Amino acid sequence: MCGIVAYLGDKEAYPILVNGLKRLEYRGYDSAGVALLHEDKLTIYKCQGKVSDLEAHVGDGPTTGTVGIGHTRWATHGPPNDVNAHPHQSTSGDLALIHNGIIENYASLKEELVHRGHTFLSDTDTEVLVHLIDDIQRSEKVDLAEAVRLALNSVVGAYAIVVLDRKDPDVMVAARKSSPLVIGIGDGEHFAASDATPIVEHTKNVVYLEDGEIAVIDRKKGLKIRNTKNQDKTPFIQELEMHLETLEKGGYDHFMLKEIHEQPRSIRDSMRGRLNLAKGEVVLGGIKDYEQRFVNAKRILIVGCGTSWHAGMVGEYLFEEFARIPVEVEYASEFRYRNPVVGEDDLVIAISQSGETADTMAAMELAKNKGATIIGICNVVGSSIARITHAGSYTHAGPEIGVASTKAFTAQVTLLTLMALMVGQKKGVLSGSSFYRLLNELDAIPDKVQRVLKTEDQIKYIADIYKDASNALYLGRGYSFPVALEGALKLKEISYIHAEGYPAAEMKHGPIALIDEAMPVFVIATKGASYEKVVSNIQEVKARKGKIIAIVTEGDTVVKGIADHVIEIPETPDALVPLLSVVPLQLISYHIAVMRGCNVDQPRNLAKSVTVE
Ligand code: G6P
């Protein structure tokens, strides 16, 4: 949560910062601000609202300066308003600071600093940092970098920060612990940002800061890295593989719609080089050394949050069916606080699009400390989660910018399918012919998703009918139960309609009481193991005048005769249905939200990367 961006070079900083903030807005968008340094003059603009509100607030005001920092906020401490927006300034007015994370011991630090004469203006935890650094700079008579280092030694919590000092306009200091920070190295210029998206259009050379590292960027001396223990570190420069066009809307009205439509490609990319039909094998390079751990695993634990947790539930069904390994899927936030039974015999799969979700990270660390093997499934290359796992596989879905996750889900499920098939084959659970048949079916999925996308006009028609609903129910059984949960999550996230996902048969133990003619019920009723049972559930809804929108297998006639609307998807084995059936549900939510006038890419109160617990 919160996006930070900074620049020091020979260009005007303001347009670079504003552009960078727009790229980072998915991380939070309740207020925004910039600080610009020109000679010894520090100019700060900040206000409640989005980056576009900040631009309007700046208007024709002065924006000169080749050094600057920018921030887009997702409020934790203190409401979103102008005063709580970053950057925050020291009482002297010399220092300006931006922060992503939470300072847990801010209350005690604040008390001490107030006692020492610092005036606090905001309700934020962040403000203690800028006063603390300023205080140390003055009392210890040290430069900015050393003051930052000393200050961070007394701070408990998570942070990515960048600090400017009016007294030294050629230096910018950045540091991180548990919140991401990337340094970009250009020609005579440097960048710092929460992720690489604001940097990629300027340079491909980046350094991902490690926890406890401080980057000192000096106009003349370039980049130096040390840690909070004052040890020098050699920057490890990596080349970005990100392409600029993946960060643009590419002609679509919203990133979410673009990302839904990208799924044939993103699923294909997630399989590329891994699923080899000619050789009849699955090779996952990132976990090759851990294959035997999978094969011998007594139990698999899957942790994640939100949509990634739903993907994990599909993973549970996959691993249990194909590899006969018992699986437990845990909300990372619950797992970490309930003294879970986990140890050396366990294999933990952590799933995260962003690779930065605080709860997922904490759950992994807990399991790792208890001796479990940690495997990651992440989308963002170089992210914190990817770096603390023992091994893992990237999803290769490309940057996902819409806050509601779509293509990341199908890419995660694709990888879980590949893993489960690979382990099932190696364990001898899957016969050669079943394995090969499933590989072929998986290989055909991207083309089938393309076919599902062709139902969009019909989906728009259905969306128009149900756009004013106040509640919705999503039902599915077996592999379709997690998809029902995901469909409900998509609708509530972006259209603010209350929606619940339920196992279809459980409906009669509660939700059936809610059904009346105003209740749209989305049912995944594809041909397969529980088809007849789901048809009975549909009858139960119809008997109570509920409206049925069913996702069915192409050519289905039975459900067509009962349901109010059907959306057909191509036939595929039960295990692969989630990769197809989720797509119409994503589209329904998208079109309903657009018709209700909601901000689809930036739904209220949400953020894409949840770096606080
Ligand atoms: C937030 C996002 C969701 C996402 C969840 C987990 O709630 O809005 O779309 O599924 O975090 O994020 P992760 O990056 O760990 O997959």
Side-chain angles (χ1 to χ4, degrees):
M1 343 227 42
C2 299
I4 66 179
V5 59
Y7 177 78
L8 188 152
D10 49 16
K11 301 195 186 95
E12 283 300 310
Y14 179 68
I16 295 171
L17 297 180
V18 167
N19 202 28
L21 287 180
K22 286 184 181 159
R23 297 229 187 277
L24 291 172
E25 234 176 348
Y26 72 87
R27 303 180 67 88
Y29 33 81
D30 60 41
S31 43
V34 289
L36 300 156
L37 196 47
H38 179 54
E39 293 164 353
D40 64 349
K41 192 169 176 334
L42 193 59
T43 310
I44 296 187
Y45 295 100
K46 55 184 195 170
C47 65
Q48 183 179 349
K50 297 188 188 296
V51 178
S52 53
D53 297 308
L54 174 69
E55 284 181 289
H57 172 64
V58 172
D60 295 332
T63 55
T64 311
T66 54
V67 194
I69 54 180
H71 187 271
T72 176
R73 181 167 185 247
W74 187 89
T76 56
H77 293 64
N81 59 29
D82 295 356
V83 176
N84 289 336
H86 301 212
H88 290 284
Q89 231 179 330
S90 56
T91 308
S92 61
D94 287 347
L95 306 186
L97 175 144
I98 49 174
H99 168 225
N100 166 32
I102 287 190
I103 305 304
E104 287 166 18
N105 59 338
Y106 82 99
S108 55
L109 290 171
K110 183 171 175 178
E111 201 180 308
E112 205 178 310
L113 287 160
V114 168
H115 191 64
R116 290 170 66 85
H118 297 269
T119 310
F120 281 72
L121 301 176
S122 76
D123 313 310
T124 65
D125 54 328
T126 299
E127 201 184 343
V128 296
L129 283 175
V130 73
H131 293 301
L132 183 62
I133 296 166
D134 177 71
D135 196 83
I136 291 173
Q137 218 185 10
R138 282 157 199 282
S139 58
E140 304 291 322
K141 310 245 172 317
V142 289
D143 65 10
L144 179 66
E146 181 60 1
V148 168
R149 188 184 76 78
L150 294 172
L152 293 180
N153 276 310
S154 20
V155 157
V156 179
Y159 53 78
I161 56 167
V162 189
V163 200
L164 297 182
D165 184 353
R166 196 179 59 77
K167 305 184 291 308
D168 195 357
D170 290 335
V171 171
M172 177 164 95
V173 179
R176 74 154 273 180
K177 186 180 164 234
S178 303
S179 293
L181 197 59
V182 192
I183 307 293
I185 306 170
D187 191 8
E189 57 187 3
H190 287 84
F191 306 80
S194 300
D195 70 28
T197 58
I199 297 177
V200 66
E201 59 199 274
H202 304 286
T203 176
K204 295 247 168 189
N205 296 326
V206 295
V207 176
Y208 292 95
L209 279 196
E210 298 290 337
D211 269 357
E213 286 188 344
I214 301 168
V216 184
I217 297 162
D218 186 301
R219 202 180 281 281
K220 293 172 209 104
K221 297 185 208 147
L223 169 69
K224 292 262 182 323
I225 298 181
R226 68 174 77 151
N227 62 16
T228 45
K229 294 186 188 129
N230 213 13
Q231 295 158 323
D232 287 334
K233 296 277 166 179
T234 310
F236 172 51
I237 302 175
Q238 301 186 45
E239 196 169 326
L240 284 177
E241 281 180 18
M242 196 179 278
H243 299 288
L244 195 53
E245 60 278 11
T246 60
L247 306 175
E248 310 285 352
K249 285 192 199 141
Y252 287 93
D253 289 343
H254 298 96
F255 280 110
M256 184 180 175
L257 187 61
K258 175 186 174 223
E259 287 156 8
I260 292 172
H261 279 266
E262 273 176 346
Q263 290 177 109
R265 182 208 49 77
S266 53
I267 294 173
R268 177 72 66 208
D269 284 352
S270 300
M271 298 194 288
R272 197 181 306 284
R274 292 163 166 174
L275 188 165
N276 189 331
L277 275 187
K279 289 194 183 160
E281 61 178 15
V282 172
V283 179
L284 293 164
I287 57 167
K288 191 106 199 70
D289 295 345
Y290 285 79
E291 269 176 24
Q292 215 44 46
R293 286 283 299 119
F294 268 98
V295 170
N296 298 336
K298 299 260 176 314
R299 179 173 76 148
I300 292 177
L301 288 166
I302 301 182
V303 293
C305 303
T307 290
S308 296
W309 183 81
H310 294 156
M313 282 193 69
V314 181
E316 174 180 12
Y317 290 78
L318 289 164
F319 273 103
E320 294 201 339
E321 178 175 355
F322 296 139
R324 303 306 295 148
I325 302 173
V327 180
E328 283 170 40
V329 190
E330 303 269 1
Y331 282 116
S333 53
E334 285 296 310
F335 179 78
R336 61 182 288 199
Y337 282 119
R338 64 165 172 74
N339 195 12
V341 180
V342 53
E344 286 169 13
D345 287 338
D346 292 313
L347 193 133
V348 175
I349 303 179
I351 307 179
S352 175
Q353 186 286 129
S354 63
E356 303 292 347
T357 302
D359 282 323
T360 307
M361 214 147 39
M364 291 165 63
E365 265 160 4
L366 185 151
K368 199 175 180 185
N369 289 339
K370 288 179 182 270
T373 303
I374 317 290
I375 304 293
I377 295 182
C378 289
N379 194 37
V380 177
V381 176
S383 55
S384 302
I385 290 180
R387 284 185 293 154
I388 55 178
T389 52
H390 290 109
S393 298
Y394 283 116
T395 42
H396 299 313
E400 190 182 65
I401 293 166
V403 164
S405 188
T406 53
K407 65 174 178 173
F409 174 80
T410 45
Q412 290 162 347
V413 172
T414 302
L415 263 186
L416 288 161
T417 311
L418 287 170
M419 279 183 189
L421 291 177
M422 190 254 306
V423 180
Q425 187 223 14
K426 295 231 179 296
K427 277 188 78 171
V429 177
L430 277 173
S431 68
S433 58
S434 311
F435 176 70
Y436 194 65
R437 183 181 64 85
L438 284 159
L439 286 195
N440 266 291
E441 291 284 1
L442 185 57
D443 186 62
I445 287 291
D447 290 343
K448 291 183 179 177
V449 172
Q450 196 68 58
R451 264 157 65 192
V452 177
L453 289 168
K454 296 214 168 86
T455 59
E456 188 164 4
D457 282 342
Q458 185 199 356
I459 287 173
K460 267 194 213 167
Y461 170 81
I462 297 170
D464 192 43
I465 298 174
Y466 298 104
K467 63 179 185 303
D468 298 319
S470 311
N471 298 288
L473 192 59
Y474 286 72
L475 302 175
R477 277 182 98 127
Y479 283 98
S480 295
F481 166 48
V483 178
L485 294 178
E486 177 59 8
L489 177 65
K490 286 289 87 75
L491 189 70
K492 62 188 145 199
E493 274 180 313
I494 59 170
S495 72
Y496 319 137
I497 295 174
H498 168 245
E500 275 191 64
Y502 243 79
E506 271 295 301
M507 174 189 64
K508 53 189 168 298
H509 299 290
I512 200 163
L514 301 169
I515 291 170
D516 59 18
E517 57 278 3
M519 174 77 104
V521 182
F522 297 87
V523 187
I524 301 136
T526 47
K527 292 269 173 59
S530 34
Y531 175 70
E532 279 81 16
K533 306 231 179 285
V534 176
V535 171
S536 306
N537 299 138
I538 291 176
Q539 300 278 20
E540 289 156 12
V541 173
K542 281 314 295 172
R544 286 153 186 89
K545 300 196 172 72
K547 298 285 182 289
I548 291 283
I549 304 103
I551 316 277
V552 300
T553 309
E554 275 171 2
D556 183 293
T557 49
V558 178
V559 179
K560 216 176 239 171
I562 324 167
D564 297 87
H565 314 271
V566 295
I567 300 161
E568 291 189 329
I569 62 172
E571 189 160 7
T572 194
D574 276 0
L576 306 185
V577 168
L579 291 168
L580 302 182
S581 58
V582 77
V583 177
L585 300 183
Q586 295 167 342
L587 283 169
I588 286 263
S589 305
Y590 171 81
H591 286 292
I592 287 183
V594 170
M595 288 169 189
R596 287 167 71 96
C598 301
N599 186 338
V600 174
D601 283 336
Q602 295 174 345
R604 72 182 178 209
N605 304 340
L606 296 179
K608 186 144 192 77
S609 176
V610 184
T611 55
V612 296
E613 57 171 286

